[in-house]
RNA sequence: GCGGGCGUGAUGGAAUGGUAGACAUACCAGACUUAAAAUCUGUUGGGCCUUGUGCCCGUGUGGGUUCGACUCCCACCGCCCGCACCA
């Protein structure tokens, strides 16, 4: 008997697969194709357990599809542009390009030992000029097709560093490096016209049957289609009316003010000669640009002194307020406030002492609004107090429809459909991104670069010792001649949002070396992605942008019409988490930190210093720092992060146990869509189990082939049950359940006394069923047990239906829904017959106590319920 | 704040509306060993007594639908994710 040596067999089989070239994607008509894609990683330099889990899931699918006779495309690449490379250049010197490519080399080196079935010949990084040059070509085609345009938009501006900040670089309204108060600044920027496709992107969601319902719902809400009324409030001073948009026009009688955004043209006009307005707008601009910041900030308002006339009651005048919670981007940037039926408006009115007017009340409890707005579902029927269109009792929805019709007929308003989805701003004032291929000419305006001049390459000779975009202060790169008139001109110095890079990489994988963005022949063959796997954190933006891009690429002739929904099926996997260990020496905890860390009240008042798991040991009365009497806190699991010292490095796990153990563990303990907690004992257990399987194989190999066995039939049945269950598990992404079935079958096989032939058949089948998860171990067992060729390409085992069904079935007997007994009956037995037997059971007789049952429910093959 | 999700033993979790806790971890007991590790075997949701093929309770909390609810509906609590310049 030999021992299980993961490092030995893993290297051996990886070499064998590479030599046989079995993972090179082949385009041929004789087999169905299957395209499996895991979201490509950002090259941070280290792979983490989340990657291992994500790629193992994809690998299981890919290997299963190879075994079931498909041409499989399973590529890998690098989402390589972005801020971390520039941050690294600023922090430690060097060039983003060198940093990025070195990281890619490191990560590829860490990934290869995992034994993934990836076609590495298709690998690319988005920062390769060959890739971003094609992206520039796409941009030019989209520009021509009217899918890209320029307009002004607001950015976070750091006045000290003189640079644009990303939202994550703004902390508490201040720049993360300079600490300066961040200002809003308007710049002319490029936009993709994604909102022109709002309706299409929304309605096509219905066809995405193999996407998680929650993701479709999130996208639906994000696109945010609404039907409402748009109308003007006449200004008392006779100036141009203020247009408002509302989804609740039925509450118009309850209006107590008109609110406009601080960015509204009227607010800007007032600011010209009104210092109060200037100050108030400045105050509003201190709040960040994110929707979250705007929505959670304290509600502030300023009375402009202007008034408007109520459209239904000309005698009534409403004040016009500037309010910080009104977004210029949505609707018309102006609203009417109806405090009785909107909590935000109510808080605002109570704060500024504006009137609260009820327009409808609950049927059963008709009381006026106090400090809680009355906002029933639109489907609830309510009592109207004074509805101008004559409603008495009606639902909110009926009232909305009636009001829109009434306003349109009377001519003072229009029913309008609006979308929340905004156009996608793609300009970034940064170096490490895909250059936008246009030139600005004083005479010709914005001139697209000629396609034969692509790629517009990033210059290498840049430094990051000064704030701002290096492209902006690089004269020889920036200053060019106009492609149209030949006069001196300037290159666009903005680069593209990295979401652009990831919005079409899946298409590029079908022909990664083509000298056009895609190759129609290859794209037609491989698209769509049959299974896409990635985190739920990308549920909206990345996947919505990709859907937009696929449509844009179809319009510009780069993808076939069938590929406008590029991801046939989507799976969103959970994170890998790990417990966090810490001390409490050092600074004091804040109350918030206590809550966040779950620090018990009696544990002293000192701030945690995070500890690596191996610094901590468990004793009878709790956790301690190894070899000391200092206590440690163990907080429940959280996403692995360097700063919390709870990262488990896949490289060290692979060197300790092997890739198969890591792969087995990340799939075994939790359902794939949920987070999995990494535990040392769990990893250890996975390793032990693989050892057991190995030893079992050795034992079977050494059995006497002529010895008589017993229980062959039972083992055979269990084997076919395992084939059936594991196949189902893999097909339905129930990897943890499939692994549980593999455990059960392995335990059974371990105890089996069946003949050698049957056991050998069983262990070979077990190896095949395990192969997608632990391909190296499976390959080795397969070879030792006389399997033909590579297990990686061997056809997937088929379950024999006739061996799956037992003749007898155990049926639980319930009395009033509680299990009280069970009977064993032939599977095909008639209902009446089953009922007769069930009624004779002691427990039933006792419960009936001589009487007759009220009702007997017999679910054939399942359960009997006797109601007494 | 808005949108989405999740909540089951000591722990990770299983369960087409049909026997709640599969499978695994941890713990405990036993075998093997001079001993330990490793390995193997067995027990383990809580409670009660009359120790039985027994009874009661039990899937975040409260209500509802159903012969039957972890599963469906309503409300609440807690945690996680996203919110348009992080990737």
């Amino acid at each position: 008997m030999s021992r299980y040596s993961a490092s030995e067999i893993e290297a051996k089989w990886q070499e064998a697969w590479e030599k046989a070239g079995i993972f090179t994607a082949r385009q041929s008509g004789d087999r169905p194709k299957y395209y499996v894609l895991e979201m490509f990683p950002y090259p941070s330099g280290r792979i983490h357990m989340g990657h291992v889990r994500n790629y193992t899931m994809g690998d299981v699918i890919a290997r299963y599809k190879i075994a079931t006779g498909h041409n499989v495309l399973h590529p890998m690449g690098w989402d390589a542009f972005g801020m971390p490379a520039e941050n690294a250049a600023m922090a430690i010197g060097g060039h983003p390009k060198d940093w990025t490519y070195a990281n890619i080399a490191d990560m590829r080196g860490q990934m290869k030992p995992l034994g993934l079935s990836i076609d590495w010949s298709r690998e690319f990084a988005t920062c390769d000029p060959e890739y971003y040059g094609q992206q520039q070509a796409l941009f030019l085609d989209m520009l021509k097709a009217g899918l890209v345009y320029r307009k002004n938009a607001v950015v976070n501006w750091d006045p000290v560093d003189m640079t644009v900040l990303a939202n994550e670089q703004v902390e508490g309204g201040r720049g993360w490096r300079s600490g300066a108060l961040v200002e809003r600044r308007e710049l002319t920027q490029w936009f993709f016209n994604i909102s022109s496709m709002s309706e299409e992107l929304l309605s096509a969601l219905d066809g995405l049957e193999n996407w998680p319902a929650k993701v479709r719902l999130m996208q639906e809400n994000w696109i945010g289609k609404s039907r409402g009324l748009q109308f003007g409030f006449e200004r008392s001073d006779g100036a141009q009316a203020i247009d408002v948009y509302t989804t609740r026009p039925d509450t118009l009688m309850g209006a107590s003010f008109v609110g406009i955004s601080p960015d509204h043209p009227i607010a800007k006009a007032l600011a010209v000669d009104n210092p109060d307005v200037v100050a108030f707008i400045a105050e509003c601009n201190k709040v960040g640009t994110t929707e979250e910041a705007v929505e959670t900030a304290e509600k502030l308002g300023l009375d402009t002194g202007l008034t408007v006339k109520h459209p239904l009651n000309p005698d009534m005048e409403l004040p016009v307020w500037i309010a910080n919670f009104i977004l210029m981007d949505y609707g018309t940037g102006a609203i009417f406030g109806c405090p009785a039926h909107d909590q935000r408006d109510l808080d605002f009115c109570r704060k500024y002492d504006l009137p609260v007017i009820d327009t409808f009340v609950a049927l059963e409890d008709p009381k006026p609004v106090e400090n809680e707005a009355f906002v029933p579902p639109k489907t609830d029927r309510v009592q109207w107090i004074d509805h101008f269109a004559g409603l008495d009792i009606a639902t909110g929805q009926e009232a909305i429809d009636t009001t829109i019709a009434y306003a349109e007929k009377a001519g003072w308003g229009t029913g309008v459909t609006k979308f929340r989805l905004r156009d996608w701003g793609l300009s970034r004032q940064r170096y490490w991104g895909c250059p936008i291929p246009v030139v600005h000419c004083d005479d010709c305006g914005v001139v697209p670069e000629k396609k034969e001049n692509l790629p517009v390459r990033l210059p290498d000779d840049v430094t990051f010792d000064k704030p701002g975009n290096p492209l902006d202060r690089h004269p020889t790169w920036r200053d060019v001649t106009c492609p149209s008139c030949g006069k001196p001109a300037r290159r666009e110095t903005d680069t593209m949002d990295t979401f652009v890079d990831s919005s079409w990489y899946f298409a590029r994988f079908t022909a990664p070396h083509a000298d056009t963005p895609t190759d129609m022949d290859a794209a037609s063959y491989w698209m769509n992605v049959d299974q896409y796997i990635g985190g739920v954190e990308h549920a909206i933006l990345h996947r919505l942008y990709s859907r937009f891009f696929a449509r844009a690429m179809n319009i510009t002739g780069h993808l076939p019409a069938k590929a406008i929904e590029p991801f046939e099926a989507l799976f969103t996997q959970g994170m890998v988490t790990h417990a966090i260990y810490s001390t409490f020496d050092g600074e004091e905890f804040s109350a918030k930190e206590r809550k966040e860390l779950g620090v018990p009240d009696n544990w002293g008042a000192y701030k945690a210093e995070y500890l690596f798991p191996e610094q901590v040991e468990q004793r009878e009365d709790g956790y301690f720092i190894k070899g000391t009497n200092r206590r440690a806190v163990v907080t429940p699991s959280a996403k692995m992060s360097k700063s919390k010292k709870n990262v488990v490095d896949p490289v060290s796990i692979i060197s300790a146990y092997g890739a198969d153990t890591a792969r087995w563990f990340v799939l075994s303990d939790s359902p794939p869509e949920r987070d999995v907690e990494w535990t040392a004992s769990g990893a250890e257990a996975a390793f032990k189990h693989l050892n057991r399987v190995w030893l079992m194989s050795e034992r079977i190999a050494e059995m006497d082939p002529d010895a008589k066995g017993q229980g062959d039939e039972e083992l055979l049945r269990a084997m076919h049950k395992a084939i059936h269950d594991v196949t189902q598990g893999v097909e339905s992404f129930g990897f943890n359940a499939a692994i549980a079935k593999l455990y059960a079958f392995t335990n059974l096989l371990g105890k089996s006394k069946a003949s050698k032939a049957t056991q050998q058949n069983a262990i070979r089948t077990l190896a095949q069923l395990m192969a997608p998860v632990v391909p190296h171990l499976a390959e080795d067992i397969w070879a030792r047990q006389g399997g033909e060729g590579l297990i990686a390409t061997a056809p997937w085992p088929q379950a024999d239906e006739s061996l799956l069904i037992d003749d007898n079935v155990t049926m639980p007997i319930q009395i009033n829904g509680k299990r009280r007994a069970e009977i064993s009956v032939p599977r095909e037995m008639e209902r009446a017959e089953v009922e007769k037997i069930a009624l004779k059971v002691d427990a039933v007789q006792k419960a009936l106590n001589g009487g007759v049952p009220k009702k007997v429910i017999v679910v054939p093959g399942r359960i009997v319920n006797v109601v007494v």
Side-chain angles (χ1 to χ4, degrees):
Chain A
M1 272 210 209
S2 57
R3 285 181 62 85
Y4 168 52
S5 166
S7 57
E8 217 172 281
I9 66 172
E10 289 178 4
K12 173 174 141 197
W13 291 109
Q14 282 168 22
E15 211 185 305
W17 297 328
E18 190 166 345
K19 213 169 139 197
I22 53 176
F23 302 135
T24 306
R26 268 173 258 281
Q27 193 173 329
S28 70
D30 56 337
R31 294 165 153 232
K33 69 93 190 179
Y34 197 89
Y35 183 2
V36 55
L37 180 67
E38 302 97 56
M39 178 139 196
F40 65 170
Y42 180 80
S44 63
R46 303 295 298 175
I47 64 166
H48 53 71
M49 277 301 166
H51 292 128
V52 174
R53 192 167 185 229
N54 190 194
Y55 305 144
T56 303
M57 287 178 194
D59 202 43
V60 168
I61 300 292
R63 287 174 177 273
Y64 171 71
K65 290 294 172 183
I66 291 172
T68 50
H70 295 76
N71 281 336
V72 169
L73 171 57
H74 186 203
M76 182 59 68
W78 311 95
D79 190 10
F81 276 134
M83 294 199 304
E86 288 192 27
N87 292 339
M90 281 178 239
I92 58 172
H95 195 283
K97 182 174 165 182
D98 300 333
W99 185 85
T100 303
Y101 280 106
N103 281 350
I104 289 173
D106 286 349
M107 278 180 83
R108 191 194 301 113
Q110 295 158 28
M111 216 183 271
K112 287 220 165 163
L114 284 169
L116 302 168
S117 62
I118 285 165
D119 178 357
W120 287 101
S121 71
R122 292 177 185 249
E123 176 191 359
F124 61 76
T126 55
C127 62
D128 296 342
E130 295 72 31
Y131 183 80
Y132 70 70
Q134 297 305 330
Q135 185 163 305
Q136 291 167 344
L138 276 180
F139 178 92
L140 294 177
D141 288 346
M142 287 168 76
L143 184 61
K144 208 186 232 170
L147 291 163
V148 202
Y149 70 100
R150 298 214 307 160
K151 71 171 178 185
N152 284 353
V154 184
V155 294
N156 298 307
W157 178 258
D158 185 322
V160 170
D161 276 353
M162 303 288 281
T163 189
V164 175
L165 298 178
N167 285 333
E168 68 157 14
Q169 297 174 315
V170 179
E171 292 164 358
R174 291 172 181 275
W176 66 342
R177 275 184 226 282
S178 68
L181 279 175
V182 170
E183 299 168 2
R184 292 195 205 179
R185 182 173 273 212
E186 263 197 11
L187 298 177
T188 306
Q189 309 201 53
W190 288 95
F191 283 81
F192 286 122
N193 196 353
I194 187 172
S195 67
S196 67
M197 292 190 194
S198 299
E199 185 71 61
E200 155 70 11
L201 289 168
L202 177 67
S203 58
L205 284 172
D206 286 341
L208 299 176
E209 285 160 21
N210 295 314
W211 280 40
K214 65 174 173 186
V215 174
R216 295 197 314 241
L217 187 57
M218 284 160 89
Q219 291 212 353
E220 184 182 326
N221 290 333
W222 184 263
I223 294 168
K225 183 178 182 174
S226 66
R227 174 88 180 150
L229 184 71
Q230 188 161 323
F231 64 96
F233 277 100
E234 300 285 331
R235 272 170 64 170
S236 309
D237 59 11
Q240 199 189 350
I242 300 176
D243 257 349
V244 300
Y245 172 75
T246 176
T247 56
R248 288 307 299 258
D250 53 314
T251 64
L252 184 51
M253 290 309 284
S256 54
F257 69 98
V258 165
I260 61 175
S261 163
D263 299 316
H264 195 279
I266 292 176
K268 286 180 180 170
L270 289 170
V272 170
D273 55 3
N274 185 333
D276 288 347
V277 174
V278 173
F280 182 73
I281 292 175
E283 185 67 28
C284 293
N285 283 350
K286 282 186 189 163
V287 176
T289 54
T290 69
E291 196 172 306
E292 183 190 6
V294 172
E295 295 275 336
T296 51
E298 191 194 349
K299 308 289 171 275
L300 295 175
L302 178 76
D303 189 350
T304 60
L306 302 176
T307 56
V308 293
K309 291 176 191 159
H310 196 290
L312 297 169
N313 181 358
D315 297 336
M316 187 177 174
E317 291 204 326
L318 300 178
V320 177
W321 285 64
I322 303 172
N324 66 345
F325 58 87
I326 300 169
L327 302 167
M328 193 58 220
D329 289 321
Y330 187 65
T332 60
I335 58 148
F336 71 79
C338 177
H341 307 295
D342 184 297
Q343 190 60 44
R344 201 166 47 178
D345 293 349
L346 182 64
D347 295 342
F348 190 81
C349 286
R350 291 297 184 216
K351 180 169 180 175
Y352 293 108
D353 206 21
L354 291 159
V356 176
I357 309 153
D358 295 294
T359 63
F360 56 79
V361 291
L363 288 178
E364 65 281 6
D365 183 21
K367 60 168 196 243
V369 163
E370 298 285 341
N371 284 317
E372 202 175 311
F374 179 47
V375 193
K378 284 181 191 167
T379 48
D380 278 13
R381 287 159 60 79
V382 290
Q383 171 74 53
W384 295 82
I385 292 170
D386 173 21
H387 194 276
F388 41 88
L391 290 173
D392 181 27
I393 293 175
T395 67
Q397 191 57 55
E398 286 161 3
I400 292 166
D401 297 341
T402 307
T403 306
I404 292 173
Y406 177 87
E408 285 188 333
K409 198 171 171 201
W412 54 267
T414 320
V416 173
T417 298
K418 285 208 190 283
F419 294 90
R420 203 184 76 102
L421 180 64
R422 309 201 296 254
D423 278 337
W424 169 14
L426 69 119
S427 300
R428 297 291 182 271
Q429 296 70 36
R430 275 178 253 286
Y431 166 78
W432 194 232
C434 171
I436 295 173
V438 298
V439 169
H440 298 275
C441 170
D442 285 341
D443 291 348
C444 311
V446 176
V447 183
E449 185 57 83
K450 291 197 174 98
K451 273 203 181 167
E452 58 263 34
N453 293 337
L454 301 184
V456 175
R457 283 174 185 266
L458 286 170
D460 287 336
D461 53 336
V462 291
T463 57
F464 292 85
D465 46 355
K466 284 180 230 152
N469 182 355
L471 297 178
D472 232 0
R473 47 183 154 80
H474 191 298
T476 56
W477 185 83
R478 188 190 62 199
D479 298 336
V480 291
T481 53
C482 172
S484 172
C485 68
K487 283 188 194 156
R490 275 173 61 106
R491 253 188 216 300
E492 168 75 61
T493 56
D494 283 356
T495 52
M496 296 187 203
D497 177 10
T498 56
F499 269 125
V500 181
D501 311 335
S502 57
S503 291
W504 72 286
Y505 78 109
F506 48 86
R508 183 70 182 168
F509 274 137
T510 64
H513 310 298
D515 52 14
T516 46
T518 59
D519 173 296
M520 267 303 211
D521 183 49
S524 300
Y525 180 78
W526 288 112
M527 289 299 285
N528 298 330
V529 177
D530 293 281
Q531 183 65 60
Y532 193 36
I533 306 171
V536 73
E537 66 272 20
H538 296 290
I540 297 175
L541 292 180
H542 161 59
R543 276 152 212 156
L544 189 61
Y545 291 160
S546 296
R547 296 177 63 219
F548 162 73
F549 240 75
R551 283 165 172 78
M553 287 175 76
N554 173 241
I555 291 168
T556 52
H558 296 294
L559 276 180
K562 68 162 187 176
I564 60 170
E565 284 300 344
F567 310 129
E568 202 65 41
L570 172 67
F571 189 87
T572 53
Q573 98 279 4
M575 296 179 299
V576 180
T577 63
H578 193 266
I580 298 168
Y581 302 89
S582 58
T583 69
F584 6 2
D585 290 277
E587 291 174 69
E588 271 191 42
F589 280 113
S590 69
K592 192 182 163 211
E593 283 169 335
R594 278 187 169 281
K595 188 172 172 270
E596 281 176 354
L597 290 168
V599 180
D601 287 337
N602 59 346
W603 286 85
Y606 296 104
K607 188 163 230 166
E609 173 199 336
Y610 291 110
L611 300 166
F612 291 108
E614 54 272 21
Q615 292 175 272
V616 176
E617 64 184 355
Q618 189 174 11
R619 298 181 203 156
E620 267 180 24
D621 54 340
Y623 290 86
F624 291 83
I625 300 180
K626 255 181 205 165
T628 73
N629 284 322
R630 280 175 67 194
R631 282 193 176 271
V633 186
V634 182
T635 40
S637 260
K639 185 174 182 170
M640 289 187 181
S641 82
K642 245 185 220 166
S643 63
K644 289 181 178 151
K645 295 193 178 174
N646 67 335
V647 174
V648 175
D649 183 6
V651 173
S652 65
I653 296 297
I654 291 170
S655 63
Y657 300 116
D660 281 343
T661 292
R663 294 169 57 119
W664 182 267
F665 177 71
V666 290
L667 295 189
S668 66
D669 248 26
S670 275
E673 68 275 15
R674 239 190 279 178
D675 294 349
V676 65
E677 184 183 355
W678 182 274
T679 59
S681 58
E684 180 84 12
F687 181 65
K688 284 181 185 173
H689 179 73
L690 299 186
N691 270 287
R692 272 196 294 272
V693 175
W694 171 275
L695 291 171
M696 192 185 295
S697 166
E698 294 292 282
R699 171 184 66 75
I700 292 169
E702 288 166 18
M703 278 173 73
D704 176 0
D706 301 323
K708 261 186 89 176
Q710 48 177 307
D712 286 54
E713 162 89 11
E714 189 197 353
L715 182 60
L716 197 67
R717 279 181 179 274
M719 183 182 95
H720 282 274
K721 189 92 173 57
I723 295 172
H724 176 264
D725 291 348
V726 172
T727 305
Q728 277 240 305
V730 171
E731 295 244 4
S732 63
F733 265 81
F735 300 131
N736 59 324
I739 285 176
K741 302 289 186 191
L742 286 169
Y743 268 113
F745 179 53
T746 307
N747 293 343
L748 196 112
L749 176 56
K751 289 174 188 164
S752 174
K753 298 272 192 293
S755 66
K756 177 169 184 176
T758 307
Q759 289 207 37
Q760 204 158 28
N761 185 18
I763 190 94
R764 271 202 304 264
T765 304
L766 177 65
Q768 282 193 285
L769 297 177
M770 290 172 79
V773 184
V774 288
H776 314 88
L777 173 66
E779 202 73 78
D780 219 63
I781 291 176
W782 182 255
R784 280 162 188 266
Q785 299 290 350
E788 222 175 283
L790 290 168
I791 202 170
T793 51
W796 191 252
Q798 297 293 313
D800 182 343
E801 296 287 332
S802 66
L803 291 173
L804 295 178
I805 302 159
D806 293 319
D807 298 335
N808 281 291
V809 60
T810 304
M811 289 177 76
I813 310 295
Q814 292 184 334
I815 295 165
N816 293 335
K818 293 197 174 183
R819 194 191 71 87
R820 282 294 123 94
E822 57 184 37
I823 54 172
S824 182
V825 296
R827 169 168 289 277
E828 305 294 338
M829 186 179 262
E830 295 286 319
R831 269 165 200 261
E833 197 72 14
V834 174
E835 183 174 334
K836 217 187 273 175
I837 293 169
L839 289 178
K840 282 186 192 143
V841 171
D842 281 353
V844 177
Q845 286 295 319
K846 215 164 105 191
L848 284 172
N849 201 15
V852 286
K854 225 171 168 180
K855 197 171 178 183
V856 180
I857 292 119
V858 179
V859 184
R862 279 245 168 241
I863 204 163
V864 180
N865 191 12
V866 182
V867 185
V868 300

